[in-house]
Amino acid sequence: NAGVTQTPKFQVLKTGQSMTLQCAQDMNHEYMSWYRQDPGMGLRLIHYSVGAGITDQGEVPNGYNVSRSTTEDFPLRLLSAAPSQTSVYFCASSSRGAGEGEQFFGPGTRLTVL
Amino acid sequence: KNEVEQSPQNLTAQEGEFITINCSYSVGISALHWLQQHPGGGIVSLFMLSSGKKKHGRLIATINIQEKHSSLHITASHPRDSAVYICAPDKSGSEKLVFGKGTKLTVNP
């Protein structure tokens, strides 16, 4: 099993550009989530999904969109990048809900917005 | 006020020492996760617990639901234990984790 994979590992964008961060898991997990990690702050939830076709907002959803058309994939879209979105992004999955299953994290994507 | 408080923020130890990292939270939870973030950035799950105590090798995690407190202990610490340790309670009924800011542990040989 590859576990949770994320692409790209690094990305530099200009303000206003859009892009999609990819996340995939091969463990047939229902629960997937996106977090951002900023210096001096804990991980913060952006969006999450409890199954294909079901998504919901987390703590910091503004400026990001998600969709879940398959169990395996959970892409995160930045609609119009802003410098405040410079961060490290982690995707995670678990077999059940956040409090019911071990969390598996992807390796992260380091995004810089100029 | 933060929902999750970890202490200490930074911890330096000598190899072989017994380590304790504390986590206090203010929300009702169904479970609590302890995570380890390596210097390279990768995050792995160490424990998920909802009551009592769990042990894995040299790592022990405990939780007291009534006191809203959890601890992570490392016995016979080793330089390879150097990492950031993150406490993440699951808020009851929310399907969401909340995260502490992490404790940076450095173990010197």
Side-chain angles (χ1 to χ4, degrees), chain A residues 31 35 37 40 42-43 45 48 57 90 97-103 105, chain B residues 30-31 33 35 37 41 43 45 48 86 90 94-97 99-101:
Chain A
Y31 185 90
Y35 301 94
Q37 186 177 43
L43 288 155
L45 180 65
Y48 68 100
Q57 295 182 350
F90 289 96
E100 299 178 36
E102 179 183 358
Q103 299 288 311
F105 286 82
Chain B
S30 55
H33 299 256
L35 310 171
Q37 186 166 28
I43 300 173
S45 175
M48 184 187 74
I86 301 169
D90 167 47
S94 75
E95 295 286 356
K96 300 175 185 177
L97 297 180
F99 294 85
K101 294 182 180 180

Side-chain angles (χ1 to χ4, degrees), chain A residues 25 27-32 68 71 93-95 102 104:
Chain A
Q25 51 89 11
M27 297 172 282
N28 202 32
H29 285 171
E30 292 295 323
Y31 185 90
M32 296 186 73
R68 184 95 180 270
T71 299
S93 74
S94 65
S95 58
E102 179 183 358
F104 293 84

Side-chain angles (χ1 to χ4, degrees), chain A residues 6 9-10 12 16 21 24 27 44 48 57 59 63 65 71-72 83 85 87 91 95 98-99 105 114:
Chain A
Q6 289 184 238
K9 290 187 177 180
F10 301 94
V12 178
L21 306 184
M27 297 172 282
R44 291 183 292 169
Y48 68 100
Q57 295 182 350
E59 181 184 356
N65 272 0
T71 299
E72 294 77 21
Q85 294 178 305
S87 187
C91 178
S95 58
F105 286 82
L114 302 175

Side-chain angles (χ1 to χ4, degrees), chain B residues 19 36 45 65 70 76 89 100:
Chain B
I19 304 295
Q36 180 191 54
S45 175
I65 295 293
S70 177

Side-chain angles (χ1 to χ4, degrees), chain A:
Chain A
N1 287 349
V4 181
T5 58
Q6 289 184 238
T7 56
K9 290 187 177 180
F10 301 94
Q11 183 70 51
V12 178
L13 293 178
K14 294 182 179 179
T15 297
Q17 287 185 315
S18 63
M19 79 159 295
T20 299
L21 306 184
Q22 301 292 344
C23 174
Q25 51 89 11
D26 61 358
M27 297 172 282
N28 202 32
H29 285 171
E30 292 295 323
Y31 185 90
M32 296 186 73
S33 51
W34 276 103
Y35 301 94
R36 59 177 290 172
Q37 186 177 43
D38 301 295
M41 305 185 73
L43 288 155
R44 291 183 292 169
L45 180 65
I46 304 171
H47 285 284
Y48 68 100
S49 169
V50 298
I54 306 169
T55 64
D56 205 347
Q57 295 182 350
E59 181 184 356
V60 288
N62 292 341
Y64 308 95
N65 272 0
V66 292
S67 60
R68 184 95 180 270
S69 55
T70 67
T71 299
E72 294 77 21
D73 300 298
F74 191 43
L76 178 72
R77 282 182 286 278
L78 279 70
L79 308 174
S80 177
S84 60
Q85 294 178 305
T86 293
S87 187
V88 181
Y89 292 84
F90 289 96
C91 178
S93 74
S94 65
S95 58
R96 292 173 289 177
E100 299 178 36
E102 179 183 358
Q103 299 288 311
F104 293 84
F105 286 82
T109 295
R110 186 173 295 273
L111 175 68
T112 301
V113 182
L114 302 175

